[in-house]
Amino acid sequence: MGEFAVRRVVTALDADGRSTFVADGPPPGLVTAPDGTGVANLWALTGSPATVHDGADALDDAFTLEPPPGGATWRIIRLPAPDPALPVEAQFLGVAGDEAASGGRRGMHTTDTLDLMTVLDGRVELELDEGRVHLGPGDVVVQRGTAHRWRVLDGRPTTYSVVMLRPSPGTWPAADLAPRGTVAPAGVGPRRVVTGLDAAGHSVVVVDGEAPGTFAFAGGAMGYGALWSTGGPLRSPLQGGDPVRPWIQLRPLGDGVSFVHVVLPGGAARDALGERHPDLGARMAVLAPGMRTTGHHDPDDPSLHRTDTIDLGVIVEGRVELELPDGGAVLLGPGDTVVQRGTWHRWRAVGDAPARFVSVMIGVPPAPGVPRADTSPAPSRN
C-alpha cells in the first residue's frame, strides 16, 4: 500500500519579529494502522486563537475527533480501499455494529463542526441523507455539521486534508453570506461541494461547482478562489458562505475563517508576467479593492505580504517555493503542508507547470497596541 508520509513546514515570528521556519518534517502526531489507515495530526487549537502564536502539534495523544468549542484540528487522513467483494453497504467506512446507532446505514454520522476538506489523492464517495457525490483529486468539500458517510472507490486508498472547526457560543455575524452557485464559471476551479439541510432537515448537497468568488487574471495565468467565509467567529456549522459581490480578500471577513484556492503561473507565463501584463496592478486593484488594507504588502514588492492569520495550507498540484525574507526558502510539492503564523512570505511556482494550493486562514485579532498587518512596516531588505 505504500508508506504514509506527510511533510509539515511551520513558520513563526521570533522574539525580534522576524519570519522564520521552526519545523520541517513529519508531524509528531502521525500514526498508521495495519489496515492501511493513516492519520497525521498537523495542528490544533484548543479555542479561539488570541495571537498568531497559538496552536500546538495535537490536542492529545489520542484521536479526539472534535476539537473543543472555538477550536480546530487539522489532519491529513488516508483511508484504505474496502474489499470489492463486500456488498456496497459494507464498504462504507464505519465500525462494525454501528448500524443501530446510524439508522441502519453503516458509518452515517454527524459532528458539531464545520469541516473544510480537500481530496489529495484517490476517489471517494460522499453520501448524505439524500443523494451522493463522487470526489477526486483537487475537489473540495464544505461539510456543515451534516449527516454523512464515506466509501473509498476504485480499489485504491484515498488521502485528504481536513480542517475541523468547532463553533463557540454567541451570535452569528451579520455578514450577508450564503452558499451561492456560479453563473459564469471562470474555469479556474476547483470543484466545490457544499452540504446543508433541506426544509425537512435532511442533509443534502446545496452547491456543486466552481465557487462564485473565483477569478482568473494575468491572461489566465493566475487564479484565486474564495471557497468559503464564516464572516466572523464561528457560532454554528451552518454559518457562512459566499458574499453577494465577491472579491479577493486576504484577511478573513470579520476576523473569522476563510478557505481559499490559489493558482500560481509556471514556466514562461511566470517569467514574463510583468512584461506581458503591465496592467496587473490595475487589474488587482479592481479584483481586490481592499488589498492594501486587508493584508500588508511591501510597497516595493507586492508579492511579499503577511496577514494577521494562522494559515493551514496544502499543495494540491505542482511545485512551489515558499520564501521568508528573513529565514530563507523551502521547496514544496503535492501533499506538503504549511502552518503559517503571521509571517512575511512570498509564493512562487517552480518549473514549467502551474501550481495550486488551498489554505484555511483563521483570523486573529492583533494584541492591544500592536498594529494590524496592513499598517505594520515591511521587513528589512538587507
Side-chain angles (χ1 to χ4, degrees):
M1 184 170 292
E3 180 186 6
F4 178 62
V6 177
R7 178 189 179 193
R8 184 198 62 171
V9 171
V10 182
T11 75
L13 297 171
D14 67 14
D16 296 319
R18 292 177 302 219
S19 302
T20 60
F21 293 106
V22 295
D24 186 351
L30 191 152
V31 297
T32 57
D35 67 353
T37 301
V39 178
N41 290 301
L42 298 170
W43 204 248
L45 294 165
T46 57
S48 300
T51 76
V52 294
H53 303 288
D54 289 353
D57 290 327
L59 292 173
D60 51 42
D61 293 333
F63 184 88
T64 302
L65 183 59
E66 297 185 12
T73 57
W74 182 28
R75 299 182 175 103
I76 297 285
I77 297 176
R78 182 177 69 180
L79 302 177
D83 183 348
L86 292 173
V88 169
E89 182 63 26
Q91 294 181 24
F92 282 93
L93 181 69
V95 178
D98 73 350
E99 289 81 1
S102 57
R105 299 170 73 180
R106 175 181 170 86
M108 187 66 76
H109 66 287
T110 62
T111 55
D112 182 31
T113 55
L114 171 67
D115 302 342
L116 305 177
M117 170 192 173
T118 305
V119 180
L120 301 177
D121 187 48
R123 296 178 68 250
V124 65
E125 179 179 88
L126 167 63
E127 182 177 303
L128 305 168
D129 287 333
E130 304 291 343
R132 60 178 63 88
V133 292
H134 288 184
L135 304 164
D139 292 346
V140 303
V141 179
V142 179
Q143 180 86 239
R144 305 159 71 205
T146 43
H148 64 285
R149 61 178 181 168
W150 302 100
R151 181 169 70 98
V152 176
L153 304 173
D154 296 347
R156 57 187 300 267
T158 292
T159 303
Y160 64 91
S161 164
V162 61
V163 177
M164 300 179 68
L165 302 148
R166 183 87 177 272
S168 59
T171 304
W172 285 28
D176 186 9
L177 300 170
R180 308 180 200 276
T182 304
V183 177
V188 176
R191 175 193 180 194
R192 180 191 67 163
V193 172
V194 180
T195 72
L197 300 176
D198 65 12
H202 298 146
S203 60
V204 295
V205 171
V206 296
V207 173
D208 186 351
E210 192 177 67
T214 302
F215 305 95
F217 45 96
M222 299 179 67
Y224 170 89
L227 303 176
W228 199 253
S229 176
T230 65
L234 187 65
R235 306 307 187 197
S236 164
L238 292 171
Q239 175 186 322
D242 307 305
V244 175
R245 296 180 179 86
W247 68 96
I248 295 176
Q249 175 86 7
L250 282 190
R251 194 172 70 228
L253 291 169
D255 286 330
V257 177
S258 62
F259 187 22
V260 301
H261 170 255
V262 177
V263 181
L264 300 173
R270 176 199 61 230
D271 299 338
L273 191 60
E275 178 182 345
R276 293 185 181 179
H277 304 283
D279 62 340
L280 181 58
R283 175 64 173 151
M284 288 299 294
V286 174
L287 292 174
M291 185 70 82
R292 290 188 178 276
T293 59
T294 56
H296 189 73
H297 287 241
D298 183 337
D300 297 322
D301 183 357
S303 68
L304 184 61
H305 63 285
R306 67 170 294 261
T307 51
D308 290 308
T309 56
I310 299 170
D311 302 342
L312 310 177
V314 58
I315 310 302
V316 176
E317 179 183 348
R319 294 188 301 154
V320 181
E321 180 185 76
L322 171 61
E323 180 187 354
L324 306 185
D326 302 315
V330 296
L331 183 62
L332 305 165
D336 290 345
T337 64
V338 180
V339 180
Q340 186 138 232
R341 298 187 285 167
T343 43
W344 283 94
H345 64 282
R346 63 164 65 88
W347 300 96
R348 185 178 72 91
V350 176
D352 294 332
R356 300 173 181 266
F357 66 90
V358 295
S359 184
V360 175
M361 303 177 69
I362 303 173
V364 176
V370 176
R372 286 188 178 276
D374 51 342
T375 59
S376 59
S380 170
R381 305 180 70 83
N382 296 330

